[in-house]
Amino acid sequence: MSAATASRVLSGRGPASKAARQRVAAAATELHYVPHAAARALATRSGTRIAVAVGGQTPHTLNDPYVGRVLAATAKTAAAREVGVSLHWLPLHAPDELARLAENRGIGGVILVNPTKPALAAVPKSLRGRIAAIGIGSRDVPSFDVDNGTATTRVVQHLLAGGRRRIAMITGPPWLPCTHRAVTAYHRAVDQAGTPPRLVPGDFTAARGEAAATEIMTRWPDTDAVFALGDLSALGALGALRSAGVDVPGDVAVAGFDDIAFAALSRPGLTTTTNPVEDIAARAATAVLDRRRSSSLTFYPSTLVLRESA
Amino acid sequence: MSAATASRVLSGRGPASKAARQRVAAAATELHYVPHAAARALATRSGTRIAVAVGGQTPHTLNDPYVGRVLAATAKTAAAREVGVSLHWLPLHAPDELARLAENRGIGGVILVNPTKPALAAVPKSLRGRIAAIGIGSRDVPSFDVDNGTATTRVVQHLLAGGRRRIAMITGPPWLPCTHRAVTAYHRAVDQAGTPPRLVPGDFTAARGEAAATEIMTRWPDTDAVFALGDLSALGALGALRSAGVDVPGDVAVAGFDDIAFAALSRPGLTTTTNPVEDIAARAATAVLDRRRSSSLTFYPSTLVLRESA
DNA sequence: ATGAAAGCGCTAACAC
DNA sequence: GTGTTAGCGCTTTCAT
């Protein structure tokens, strides 16, 4: 049996008879055969790792626990295919980092995390079919994202059902496009209820959540609910409110987004919505590894988790 | 100029004249040359990624935020060397996973996270010089770890200085060797102070922290301080105590270990000690990438962070 | 100190 | 459907 036939069977490409398949499979399992990823990558110029490129204003973005979750899920998925992962910061206003990734022959594919419109516009053609986004996508970049629009609607409706009528929202960073979907949903929901919109920009950090809550209570002292896009900000807001002597949820309800571990540990427990990041990252990784050309747009459902804070 | 000379210059091995060095350097920067990692790996059989192998009882271990931190730091360090990272679960009682990693020619090196003695004993000889541990090490495995012994001593001394005399400790999982250093330090510290030791096993989770705190207050109702190895457990304990109507820090002080983000957000804020995981992981990764043969043992200092809980 | 040549383990074209 | 051949881009003997 020739090497070529074995290769065809193992890679699943090209013709192969039943008999050949079986013999190869038998030999492979018996010899504990593991394909040599580097040799394959060299021959197919497919690259040996996939790059996780995270958009953000500072390299500090890479320390966000959210990035850790994405990376771990990606690494687990890729490891099964003998592919590694590397981590890169994508500065907001210097998208030529993408060109460098595209030219690097070691990189088989790219997963964009929190890309901006300019970043998507700067995606080199050579990356087509081997790039995916966790966040917004484009014609060339399939998108895998959490359905934060529907989630926002559910949160606001829950707050309204609980009798809240002056609901403020702490948004994500304004440069982050997926923030917009949530803000739009928020606007629609409060409009329908005939209650006033109250928006304050956030950045997903706890510190900003604290400041934002203070700002909200100063500008609109009669606010009776705060919804923060991101649990860290929600927890920051919760802390600031309690320090100011505001009772949560008595005076003001607080809700978050992401359902991080600490949401359950806070007192009162934080009402929030789930973010199936691991699942999303695994799908995005699979799409990149399979070189799917589809320009799809997939939303993953987020479910409301009711605790004491709202 | 021949490819061989260029290779010698770029890899830094073998002889090369000043002139040659300069010409190669000039050409490389001008052409934005990036070495092809796969080709190099194929020629040198050095592997194209480093494996992060995490010891634990269930695959769920890989979802721990601590693993995310290690992975992100490793990936960042490795990316600079054109090396990827993959993530693997190391079942506690099936260390032959290590043999599989060693045989896999795609894997250049291994970083062991939370290894056990049996796992270290099962390290194949072929991994020598390209393996490091975050946790305990061995003759063949250099260890990079946080100095939790000293940290524990400092925490206990701080509690004693605050007038606490019946200090309980929630440990890490008993199978985790680095737990022992902390427990030993705890014993020594309470012995010296002439106060009674009170130990309850933990597993780093919040749920176990809650249960452990309840157990502590049932067995030793006069306990006036709880130190948990791991902030998640400490926060779980804090929550359980407060639910039981115990005032923190009035009745019972609570201290943790790791200084995770939530430690600052909890009310009261959690007194804890830092864990420079990113730094440690970067060093371990560098050791593996450089193929250092030293059987070193490096402890990284942990500093006390005082908040309200103790 | 440098160059020529062989080869790392695989896949892709091309005959058969 | 299968085998033969020629690389993928580097490193490494071995001559010179």
Side-chain angles (χ1 to χ4, degrees):
Chain A
M1 147 124 14
S2 77
T5 314
S7 170
R8 278 186 284 256
V9 171
L10 290 167
S11 69
R13 267 188 295 274
S17 66
K18 278 252 162 58
R21 284 177 198 291
Q22 297 201 337
R23 286 179 59 199
V24 171
T29 54
E30 174 161 7
L31 302 174
H32 298 308
Y33 173 79
V34 178
H36 194 306
R40 175 176 288 176
L42 183 57
T44 59
R45 28 212 102 153
S46 60
T48 162
R49 58 193 196 276
I50 83 181
V52 174
V54 187
Q57 290 180 304
T58 69
H60 191 75
T61 313
L62 301 184
N63 295 333
D64 191 301
Y66 176 79
V67 172
R69 288 176 72 185
V70 170
L71 197 66
T74 307
K76 219 171 15 171
T77 307
R81 316 273 271 263
E82 297 285 310
V83 169
V85 167
S86 56
L87 181 60
H88 307 261
W89 169 50
L90 209 60
L92 280 193
H93 300 300
D96 40 305
E97 171 72 10
L98 275 174
R100 219 157 334 171
L101 292 177
E103 280 168 18
N104 186 320
R105 294 158 300 176
I107 289 176
V110 174
I111 294 185
L112 252 28
V113 178
N114 288 346
T116 59
K117 280 255 171 64
L120 289 170
V123 168
K125 300 308 159 221
S126 64
L127 241 29
R128 272 188 208 169
R130 54 190 188 108
I131 186 169
I134 300 181
I136 59 165
S138 71
R139 199 169 50 79
D140 293 335
V141 182
S143 150
F144 299 80
D145 207 351
V146 62
D147 185 359
N148 58 14
T150 305
T152 298
T153 305
R154 290 231 187 85
V155 170
V156 175
Q157 285 175 346
H158 169 72
L159 293 170
L160 289 166
R164 314 290 171 166
R165 283 298 173 271
R166 291 166 301 272
I167 303 169
M169 175 174 182
I170 303 173
T171 70
W175 59 263
L176 223 204
C178 73
T179 294
H180 303 328
R181 279 203 308 276
V183 170
T184 305
Y186 164 82
H187 261 123
R188 187 190 328 250
V190 294
D191 275 6
Q192 281 187 354
T195 66
R198 298 177 172 181
L199 282 168
V200 171
D203 64 0
F204 293 151
T205 68
R208 179 67 202 134
E210 292 180 28
T214 307
E215 185 182 336
I216 286 168
M217 298 315 287
T218 308
R219 285 174 65 184
W220 307 291
D222 62 345
T223 297
D224 58 12
V226 173
F227 166 50
L229 208 55
D231 281 352
L232 242 30
S233 289
L235 291 166
L238 205 162
L241 290 172
R242 297 187 60 202
S243 296
V246 177
D247 181 44
V248 177
D251 302 328
V252 175
V254 174
F257 191 97
D258 274 347
D259 195 23
I260 62 179
F262 193 60
L265 294 177
S266 135
R267 299 293 153 126
L270 184 68
T271 289
T272 185
T273 23
T274 59
N275 190 347
V277 189
E278 282 78 11
D279 191 20
I280 294 176
R283 303 291 186 120
T286 305
V288 168
L289 290 166
D290 288 347
R291 293 219 172 348
R292 285 199 214 123
R293 289 219 152 251
S294 64
S295 76
S296 55
L297 175 63
T298 319
F299 282 117
Y300 291 78
S302 173
T303 66
L304 196 60
V305 179
L306 297 178
R307 296 202 179 92
E308 298 84 43
S309 73
Chain B
M1 148 122 16
S2 77
T5 318
S7 170
R8 279 185 284 254
V9 170
L10 291 168
S11 68
R13 268 188 294 274
S17 67
K18 278 250 163 58
R21 284 178 199 290
Q22 297 201 337
R23 286 179 62 197
V24 171
T29 54
E30 173 162 8
L31 302 175
H32 299 310
Y33 174 79
V34 178
H36 195 304
R40 174 176 289 177
L42 182 57
T44 61
R45 23 207 109 173
S46 60
T48 161
R49 57 193 197 278
I50 84 181
V52 174
V54 187
Q57 291 179 302
T58 69
H60 191 75
T61 313
L62 300 184
N63 295 332
D64 191 300
Y66 177 78
V67 172
R69 288 177 72 185
V70 171
L71 196 66
T74 308
K76 220 170 16 170
T77 306
R81 315 274 271 262
E82 297 285 309
V83 169
V85 166
S86 57
L87 181 60
H88 308 261
W89 169 50
L90 209 61
L92 280 194
H93 299 301
D96 39 306
E97 170 72 10
L98 274 175
R100 221 156 334 173
L101 292 178
E103 281 167 19
N104 186 320
R105 293 159 301 175
I107 288 177
V110 174
I111 294 184
L112 253 27
V113 178
N114 288 346
T116 59
K117 280 254 171 63
L120 288 171
V123 168
K125 301 307 160 222
S126 64
L127 242 28
R128 270 188 207 169
R130 54 190 186 108
I131 185 169
I134 300 180
I136 60 165
S138 71
R139 199 170 50 81
D140 293 335
V141 183
S143 150
F144 300 80
D145 207 352
V146 63
D147 185 359
N148 58 14
T150 305
T152 298
T153 305
R154 290 232 186 84
V155 169
V156 175
Q157 284 175 345
H158 169 72
L159 293 170
L160 289 165
R164 313 291 171 166
R165 283 297 173 271
R166 290 165 301 272
I167 303 168
M169 176 176 182
I170 303 173
T171 71
W175 60 262
L176 222 203
C178 73
T179 294
H180 303 327
R181 279 202 310 275
V183 170
T184 305
Y186 163 83
H187 262 123
R188 187 189 329 249
V190 294
D191 275 6
Q192 281 187 354
T195 65
R198 297 177 174 182
L199 282 169
V200 171
D203 64 1
F204 292 151
T205 67
R208 178 68 201 134
E210 292 180 28
T214 307
E215 184 182 337
I216 287 168
M217 298 316 287
T218 308
R219 285 173 64 184
W220 306 292
D222 63 345
T223 297
D224 59 11
V226 173
F227 166 49
L229 208 56
D231 281 351
L232 242 29
S233 289
L235 291 166
L238 206 162
L241 290 172
R242 296 187 60 203
S243 297
V246 176
D247 181 43
V248 178
D251 302 329
V252 176
V254 174
F257 190 96
D258 275 347
D259 195 23
I260 60 179
F262 319 135
L265 294 176
S266 131
R267 300 293 153 127
L270 183 68
T271 288
T272 184
T273 24
T274 58
N275 190 346
V277 188
E278 282 78 11
D279 192 20
I280 294 176
R283 303 290 187 122
T286 305
V288 168
L289 289 166
D290 288 348
R291 292 218 170 352
R292 285 200 213 123
R293 289 219 153 251
S294 63
S295 76
S296 55
L297 175 63
T298 320
F299 282 117
Y300 291 78
S302 173
T303 66
L304 197 59
V305 179
L306 296 178
R307 296 203 179 90
E308 299 84 43
S309 72

